[in-house]
């Protein structure tokens, strides 16, 4: 029994390690694809540019959500069972965000005007914050990443054009030197007897 227990623990540790390795493998695959396909690098750049604003959006959301939790607990906690303490209130408001309406029904029966006003303000505010603000962050980051990608492409083309022109001039100079044509048109006139 002890051997089976050790094997079960080893198997669960192996599963945990293999999950982390798969995450790293997929990260390497995304890096490889972003090197090969330029548009994937735009998406990777979009995600990397979105991390900081999304982090601060989550902080703002948590702050506003906590304010609603306290407001709801103080206002409705004595009457409505789903708002009786802070923990239950936070769970109930989270469930309200994801569509649980029996809490709203209890709230409407106990506080018809105030409950409706609270529900309306809570849902509209979080709907706009969650949907439009997060979308705006991603779209702005995508626009920035696309502009940065286009600028890099333009710079590459300019550098490639400069390198091509420089290479062509070097090859012409090398060919002139090789053929002994390293003189100017004026020297051609004097050499040809036309003065």
């Amino acid at each position: 029994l002890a051997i089976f227990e050790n094997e079960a623990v080893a198997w669960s540790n192996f599963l945990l390690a293999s999950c982390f390795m798969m995450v790293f493998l997929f990260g390497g695959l995304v890096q490889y694809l972003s090197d090969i396909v330029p548009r994937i690098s735009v998406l990777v750049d979009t995600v990397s540019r979105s991390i900081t604003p999304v982090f601060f959006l989550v902080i703002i959301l948590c702050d506003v959500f906590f304010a609603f939790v306290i407001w709801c607990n103080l206002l409705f906690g004595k009457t409505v069972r789903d708002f009786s303490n802070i923990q239950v209130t936070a769970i109930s408001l989270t469930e309200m965000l994801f569509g649980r309406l029996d809490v709203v029904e209890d709230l409407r029966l106990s506080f018809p005007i105030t409950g409706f006003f609270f529900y309306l303000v809570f849902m509209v505010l979080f709907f706009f914050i969650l949907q439009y603000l997060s979308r705006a962050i991603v779209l702005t980051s995508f626009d920035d990443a696309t502009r940065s990608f286009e600028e890099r492409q333009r710079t590459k083309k300019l550098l490639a054009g400069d390198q091509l022109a420089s290479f062509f001039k070097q090859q012409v100079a090398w060919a002139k030197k090789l053929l002994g044509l390293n003189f100017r048109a004026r020297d051609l006139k004097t050499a040809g007897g036309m003065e």
Side-chain angles (χ1 to χ4, degrees):
L1 188 63
I3 295 172
F4 179 74
E5 221 175 281
N6 290 338
E7 287 181 6
V9 169
W11 175 253
S12 66
N13 289 339
F14 169 74
L15 287 178
L16 185 64
S18 63
C19 289
F20 282 117
M21 291 307 294
M22 287 300 290
V23 168
F24 289 125
L25 179 69
F26 285 132
L29 177 65
V30 167
Q31 182 63 37
Y32 172 74
L33 288 175
S34 70
D35 288 341
I36 297 217
V37 181
R39 285 296 174 180
I40 292 179
S41 67
V42 172
L43 295 176
V44 171
D45 194 21
T46 299
V47 171
S48 68
R49 288 173 187 263
S50 298
I51 289 173
T52 304
V54 166
F55 174 74
F56 286 115
L57 177 67
V58 168
I59 290 175
I60 291 169
L61 279 174
C62 289
D63 187 38
V64 172
F65 184 77
F66 190 67
F68 272 103
V69 166
I70 292 175
W71 179 29
C72 190
N73 180 263
L74 291 176
L75 194 61
F76 310 121
K78 300 250 187 241
T79 309
V80 181
R81 185 179 52 88
D82 288 319
F83 303 129
S84 59
N85 62 25
I86 297 291
Q87 182 181 3
V88 173
T89 303
I91 292 170
S92 297
L93 288 181
T94 305
E95 290 173 345
M96 277 174 52
L97 277 176
F98 291 107
R100 182 178 167 212
L101 295 178
D102 58 339
V103 176
V104 178
E105 190 64 30
D106 292 343
L107 189 62
R108 190 183 64 80
L109 291 175
S110 300
F111 299 93
I113 296 172
T114 318
F116 174 74
F117 176 72
F118 172 80
Y119 177 72
L120 184 70
V121 169
F122 178 71
M123 291 305 285
V124 167
L125 184 68
F126 271 89
F127 175 76
F128 282 117
I129 287 176
L130 285 175
Q131 185 163 358
Y132 291 116
L133 215 53
S134 58
R135 185 183 298 169
I137 287 172
V138 172
L139 289 177
T140 302
S141 298
F142 181 73
D143 287 342
D144 291 344
T146 304
R147 258 189 256 115
S148 174
F149 173 74
E150 289 170 352
E151 184 65 32
R152 283 193 310 262
Q153 293 295 96
R154 209 172 310 123
T155 304
K156 274 185 185 177
K157 285 181 183 178
L158 288 175
L159 288 177
D162 289 346
Q163 289 174 350
L164 186 60
S166 175
F167 178 72
F168 180 71
K169 287 178 185 176
Q170 287 175 355
Q171 294 303 315
V172 168
W174 176 77
K176 283 182 180 180
K177 186 176 181 183
L178 184 67
L179 296 173
L181 299 174
N182 199 9
F183 48 86
R184 296 194 168 114
R186 173 172 48 105
D187 296 334
L188 279 175
K189 290 180 186 176
T190 8
M194 300 195 297
E195 290 189 19

